[in-house]
Amino acid sequence: MQNIPLEAANFIDLNYMNVLYLFIVGFIGGLVSGFIGSGGAFVLTPAMMSLGVPGLVAVASNMCHKFPKALVGAIKRAKYGQVDVKLGIIFGIFAEAGVFYGAHIQEKIKAAFGDAGSNLYVSVAFVVVLAIVGGLVLRDAVKTYRSGNADAEEQVSALAKRVQSVNIPGTMVYFKSLRARVSLLFIIPLGFATGMLAATIAVGGFIGVPSMIYVLGAPSLMGSATELVVAFVMGLGGSFKYALHGLVDIRLAGIILAGSLFGIQLGAIGTTYVKPFMIKLVMGIIMVIVLFSRALMVPVYLSQLGLIQTLNDTSVTILKSTSFSVMAFALLTGAFIVLRAMWQGHKAERETSEHKIMETA
Amino acid sequence: MAQQYGHLKKKPVVKMTVYGGLSAVLYAAVFLNQATITALFTRGSWYAALPIATAFAISFVHGGFTNYFWSVLGIEATKKSLRIRPEEKRSYDRERPQPQPRLRARL
């Protein structure tokens, strides 16, 4: 953060087109976050940077929009009984530690290898984590869909059963979402990894939600809703850290928040209309598409570091714009699936109630 | 979405208007004074509380507005989602055997 005063002085002038663009991206990001608990933020930082916002200001303003959005989403989903506040806060505290450690690693890498090294680290983290976790989540969602048991109550994974069966005296805490006591010693590394990922790729939920579902044994709806509490805790601490350095552009955070609060309410409502496997499906699809987006950027950074043959400017520009387009496509695909699932759920509910009225008449 | 039982429920138009008005005032205050606010909010140190407090204020006011906005449009959660489900123990939750006090008679 050595260029902080310079970055803070470079707050951009906003015109109507910029405001509209950020509002729409915020809305779509909020819609996806309200539904799967995270995932909307990863496109906002590049979106702001594409308008000329300096990197650190974009990250700080994104963070400052994230925690109030997560708060509103968590309150909304708590009304539907989907939030485990205790798990969210405990998970969030360890995630916060992970955020600070992750940011520290980022600074070290940047100091040692420069911007290209830091970007390469972020892209490789994206590709590796999303390939493993995204692949597993998507596979599970498709398996559930094909099994014809999409309506049945979710089964707790064998790993989660094993985790819940371990009793370590003095560390056991009961969580309502798990309907079981789990040792804090399992939650610490999961929370920490979530925070580290959040500091690296801006979306900790890509580890947080799957770990709550597959490692701890939370149902998809509760895992994704509880992630909003984690995002609130992480976002609040992170925003304060950036605000201490004067990096938050409240105008940018406010505009994105204006759109994302519409989106997050809608996404949260959407969770009440869909079958639980839809959460996994949307998350898995977004993760796998984003994986390709970041993989496209790996040759650019390898070339900048001199590890492969230098790419010409045209190739770099094409790869960068394709990567951003694929990322935006991931978010739009997620939003489309959420809206379509909501529409179908609404239609099915309307048909059921019409059928009941006919029967009583 | 809740049109089928909409006649039973009054739409929160007044609340939406109040929160919407407050939200507009809040945003106008930020954007009409953006030079002053940007200078003040980026001083760091204790001034760091200002952007955080503003973000909280937006989440409360604008969050309230967006909530009532979707309600007025009839887009609400399914009724079944509002049912309170009693917590039940999972079948695989094993009760750990507790040692029972026994009386042992020695002959």
Side-chain angles (χ1 to χ4, degrees):
Chain A
M1 291 194 178
Q2 56 270 45
N3 294 325
I4 284 166
L6 187 70
E7 298 245 13
N10 278 343
F11 282 6
I12 60 162
D13 286 327
L14 291 165
N15 58 40
Y16 289 110
M17 285 310 289
N18 291 349
V19 171
L20 187 66
Y21 171 64
L22 290 175
F23 181 89
I24 293 170
V25 177
F27 172 76
I28 299 169
L31 179 66
V32 172
S33 297
F35 194 78
I36 63 172
S38 65
F42 64 85
V43 85
L44 285 165
T45 307
M48 279 188 268
M49 286 168 76
S50 71
L51 296 176
V53 178
L56 272 174
V57 176
V59 171
S61 307
N62 185 10
M63 189 76 88
C64 192
H65 114 276
K66 194 171 155 179
F67 82 84
K69 176 186 77 177
L71 175 67
V72 170
I75 290 171
K76 184 89 174 173
R77 291 188 64 174
K79 284 182 191 164
Y80 311 144
Q82 297 173 349
V83 175
D84 185 341
V85 179
K86 197 204 290 179
L87 177 62
I89 290 175
I90 294 174
F91 210 97
I93 290 168
F94 296 119
E96 189 70 67
V99 168
F100 287 115
Y101 187 67
H104 175 69
I105 287 182
Q106 279 271 51
E107 282 166 21
K108 289 257 181 200
I109 290 173
K110 199 172 178 177
F113 302 102
D115 278 337
S118 171
N119 290 336
L120 180 65
Y121 165 68
V122 170
S123 294
V124 170
F126 247 115
V127 173
V128 172
V129 172
L130 299 194
I132 298 168
V133 185
L136 279 172
V137 173
L138 191 59
R139 194 169 139 252
D140 184 37
V142 172
K143 208 171 122 189
T144 310
Y145 177 70
R146 284 189 181 158
S147 71
N149 291 331
D151 288 322
E153 199 185 337
E154 285 177 282
Q155 294 297 309
V156 177
S157 71
L159 176 63
K161 282 180 187 173
R162 188 170 275 253
V163 165
Q164 291 179 10
S165 69
V166 175
N167 183 28
I168 304 170
T171 66
M172 303 303 289
V173 181
Y174 178 81
F175 296 105
K176 71 166 186 179
S177 58
L178 315 177
R179 285 186 251 154
R181 280 152 54 89
V182 167
S183 170
L184 281 179
L185 298 181
F186 288 112
I187 294 175
I188 292 171
L190 296 176
F192 196 81
T194 301
M196 271 197 72
L197 195 72
T200 312
I201 68 169
V203 195
F206 284 165
I207 278 192
V209 180
S211 64
M212 278 188 233
I213 297 171
Y214 297 108
V215 183
L216 298 178
S220 305
L221 279 174
M222 293 201 88
S224 60
T226 304
E227 176 60 30
L228 290 166
V229 180
V230 179
F232 168 72
V233 176
M234 277 195 299
L236 183 59
S239 300
F240 200 73
K241 182 187 165 219
Y242 285 117
L244 280 174
H245 293 99
L247 287 164
V248 175
D249 187 341
I250 193 66
R251 303 167 309 153
L252 292 175
I255 296 163
I256 300 168
L257 203 48
S260 70
L261 289 184
F262 278 104
I264 202 154
Q265 303 270 5
L266 199 58
I269 293 168
T271 60
T272 68
Y273 281 89
V274 298
K275 291 167 185 137
F277 85 96
M278 284 301 293
I279 307 270
K280 292 177 189 168
L281 186 71
V282 173
M283 180 174 262
I285 287 174
I286 289 179
M287 286 167 95
V288 171
I289 300 176
V290 172
L291 152 76
F292 286 109
S293 153
R294 294 318 297 179
L296 282 172
M297 289 303 289
V298 171
V300 175
Y301 304 133
L302 286 174
S303 142
Q304 285 170 354
L305 286 168
L307 296 171
I308 59 166
Q309 197 183 351
T310 311
L311 296 173
N312 59 40
D313 289 348
T314 318
S315 305
V316 171
T317 312
I318 291 171
L319 282 171
K320 276 185 180 173
S321 40
T322 312
S323 167
F324 184 72
S325 307
V326 173
M327 203 181 262
F329 174 71
L331 201 61
L332 284 170
T333 307
F336 172 75
I337 298 171
V338 172
L339 291 174
R340 189 167 171 270
M342 268 182 84
W343 175 251
Q344 285 177 335
H346 162 58
K347 210 171 131 190
E349 197 192 52
R350 196 175 54 191
E351 278 168 7
T352 314
S353 68
E354 275 171 9
H355 188 68
K356 275 182 188 169
I357 291 167
M358 296 258 287
E359 271 181 355
T360 46
Chain B
M1 292 191 179
Q3 282 120 339
Q4 64 268 31
Y5 54 95
H7 63 283
L8 298 172
K9 210 175 166 186
K10 207 176 162 189
K11 287 185 174 176
V13 179
V14 176
K15 282 181 180 173
M16 183 196 77
T17 313
V18 170
Y19 275 93
L22 287 172
S23 180
V25 168
L26 190 60
Y27 273 100
V30 171
F31 282 91
L32 292 176
N33 303 294
Q34 51 179 307
T36 317
I37 283 178
T38 304
L40 201 65
F41 283 25
T42 53
R43 282 188 186 176
S45 186
W46 288 104
Y47 291 92
L50 293 174
I52 306 290
T54 309
F56 267 117
I58 293 175
S59 75
F60 176 72
V61 176
H62 190 59
F65 167 59
T66 54
N67 177 37
Y68 294 123
F69 174 81
W70 292 121
S71 293
V72 167
L73 289 185
I75 299 173
E76 287 183 299
T78 53
K79 278 190 283 182
K80 66 181 179 193
S81 68
L82 300 171
R83 279 186 215 139
I84 297 162
R85 279 165 292 183
E87 280 190 29
E88 53 193 49
K89 284 267 178 195
R90 284 189 179 144
S91 55
Y92 62 81
D93 279 353
R94 288 180 291 117
E95 283 293 323
R96 291 180 187 280
Q98 298 293 319
Q100 298 292 321
R102 286 183 195 164
L103 284 175
R104 287 186 184 174
R106 286 188 184 179
L107 298 172

